[in-house]
Each structure stands twice: as structure tokens, then as C-alpha cells.
Amino acid sequence: MQTPIAAAAAQALPGAAGAGRPNILLVISDQFRADNLGCMGLNPMNLTPNLDRMAGQGVLFRSAIANQPVCAPARATLFSGQYSEKHGVWRNGIGLKPETITLASTLRQAGYAAAYVGKWHLAPNDRTKATWGPVPRQNRGGFLDFWEGANELELVSHPYEGEIFDGDGKPMPFSGIYREDFLTSRAVRYLKNAPRQPFFLTVSYLNVHHQNDLDKFVPPKQYADRYRNPFIPQDLRPLPGTWPSQLGDYYGCVASMDDTIGTLWKTLEEQGLDKNTIVMFMSDHGCHFKTRNTEYKRSPHESSIHIPLIVRGPGFNRRVEVPELVSQIDIAPTLLQAAGVPVPPSMQGHSFLPLVERRTEGWRNEVYSQMTEFMTGRILRTPQWTYAVAAPKTPEWTHRRAAERYAEYLLYDLYADPFQHVNLAGYTQTKAVAEQLRERLRNRIAEAGDPRPAIDPPYFPYA
């Protein structure tokens, strides 16, 4: 049965796309905290006027959660609609299997052109330069009609120089232009020459991610010194980390990212594509500025897993906010259903179109997430609770995708402690809640595709 959103999309003006089905423009900003958005009501700095306008006209998802707070696994889940137990990309460096059914390959079978610009991070990386840049055709996840990108953009570029690679693997160098402006110019060029068939264009930016070899955030020159006395998010304030020296430049990157949204939307309007294009903005994970561990993400905290998610376009222009929990695994099924394309049975996520239409019955209002690399752990996020377990570290822990036994180590009451400063794991007062969450998490692990593990109570209980 066709949903109201799919029906609205089918009736939208075809513009240059023809065929009646909506175009889809997916914009990914790396390491973007959800509370950067002004429309979330948590940051008063007015960094995101274009995104706030997009949210006001479309749909703002207030509780979008990453299924794993690290680049490659999160992206693999986004495009495959599967947990890492199924798609196999449980850490960075593992390529998405060429045979994986993805959002792009499914849309192509339905007549879409699948195009990609920017950071990929889903081809195999053996830590040699040869695997940082060009992406072989079989490793492009179904984006086979147009390609201008790099496997690990952060390793082949700096903010004002570097290169991406075209569909034939030939370098496309840039210099003297800010990296994100260069990527935007390539996306604009594609939109100005859009195919007559419906298209699915993903534009994946490195911003607002730090520059790896510099360990700093580098905004464009016009934003370099604009936010030297910034608003400090409440989760960061009492905690040591890198935010005192980095937050201002991070905000400059956020403001620059918002500018790109304005440019892309203006291009859609100029090309007559705006009325028949679904535009989605999201991130792969957040950023805690080394306050929760020794790097920027890979933790179960909101600053790591709470991501922005805004959708505007045919069927989504509803001026509505969705409070229910959704996650990256749900995005592929949602966009397919919005396009009127059947969802493959291989996808484990669920379309959240009913939530947009404010039909909430039957929606499981919780998210299952995983942690690897920094630790082997699992997370259950509900409206009130963040419950996290971890496997004890062993000499081979970095090579462990999963464990047979975990121990509880974090429990936060988000109603009382939204900024997660008081860990309640092991307290008598929360014992009953922890037992319930423990079983729910064990069930979600098994549902995702792993054997149901043992989960021990905390090693250091409190009376």
C-alpha cells in the first residue's frame, strides 16, 4: 500500500527528473553534533540558519541516533540498512562487500541514476596510500552512474589543497579553494546537468571532522576567528578535553557546512528541481572533544551518538518535529518507501514514514548501537535511559567484533541528567531498571545477528 508521503512524492512536479518519482539528495556532514542545530534549541549561536529553515519547512528528527559512532560502520549501516553483524563493516578499514544490496543499488534497479561526491570510507583500506584515494567500481556500493570522491578524504587532502578521483580513478586536484567549497562546486555541476531520469545524489563532506594529521578543526578563512568566545555545551563544561582550544574553530566549520546547504538548495531552485527533490541532511556520528575517552567519538554518550537528521521535499514539507527515536539503519528503508520502491528483505531497518505522518503505533521506541575499535561494547538507547555494556579488554581486543560476555558499565537517566554527568550503573536504586534493560539489549543483539551474550552486573556495585 502506498503511503501518503509516497503518493505526495509521486504527484510532485517532475521538473528535469521526468518519470514522476522524486529525486533524492543526501548530504552527510562528518562528526556533526545534533545540538549544533539552532532548531534543536540547545545552542544560541545561530550557526545553522539554512538548516533551521529546512527543519522549519520539513521534518526535524529530534532523537536520531548513530548505530555505531565511528565513520565506516555508521556509513555501511546507512547505505545497507543492516547492522554490522550482517554487513560486516564493524571497524574502519573493512570494505563493504561488493555484493551488498544497498540503497543506491536498489534505487538503480528502479530506474534511478546513483551519483556520489566526496568522502566514501567504505572501500577496503590496508593502510597504504593506494587505498586512500581511488575507489574501484565494485567497491562503490552501487553508486555507478557518477563518481567524484575519495575513499579516505582526510588522508588525501587538506582544507585548501588535495584531490579526489573521478569514475576512472583519475585524480581531480584542487588548490586555493576550501575543500568543502570544491565538493559543493562538483555537486552543483551535477545538479545543473542532472539526468532526465530520477537521481539519487549523495554529497559526503569531511567537515565538520577534524583534520587528522593536524588534530585540529580548520574552518574556511572567513570563519577562522569568528567564534573565539563561544557558547559551551553543558555536557562539555565540567570535563577536561580539547574543547577549550577547538570549539571556536569547530563552530566555524559548522557555519561553513550550513552555507553549503544554502548553496545546494539555491541550485535546486534555480534548476527547477526543488519541488521534486527530497533533501536529507545527517551525520555519521557526533563529537565529544576527548572528554569521554582519548579521542572524539567511539563512546555511548549523546555527544557521540546523537546526530542531526532533517528532511525536506515532496511528502516531507510538513513543518513537524518527530520526537521518537530513529537511527541510521532506518534511513534506507525510509527513502525507498518515500520513492515508492520496494524495500529489500535484506534490510533490517524500518521506514519511519509513519512517524512523519504522526502514526506512532507499533514503533519500537529504542535504538540498538554498537561500539568497536576503542572498546568492544553495545548500547541500548531509550527515551529515558542510555545503557551501555563493554567486554573486558584483552591483548586481542582490537580485533574483536563482538564478545560472548559483557559487563554493564554505564547507565544514564536522561530525564534527570540529559548531559550525562552521573553514571548510575551499579546503584541499588537502578538495579531493577538495569535488569530490564539488560534483557532488552541481549534480545537486540540476537535480533541483529549475534548469539545472545552474557551480561554481568557492574564490577563495582554501589549500595
Side-chain angles (χ1 to χ4, degrees), residues 163-191:
E163 58 188 7
I164 60 175
F165 300 84
D166 67 15
D168 295 324
K170 297 178 181 178
M172 301 175 60
F174 65 93
S175 179
I177 181 174
Y178 192 59
R179 175 176 49 213
E180 274 57 41
D181 292 340
F182 175 67
L183 296 178
T184 300
S185 72
R186 305 310 301 175
V188 166
R189 182 175 180 272
Y190 179 86
L191 293 173

Side-chain angles (χ1 to χ4, degrees), residues 9-10 12 14-22 110-112 196-198 276:
R21 278 184 168 154
Y112 276 73
R196 296 193 60 81
Q197 69 194 102
N276 194 41

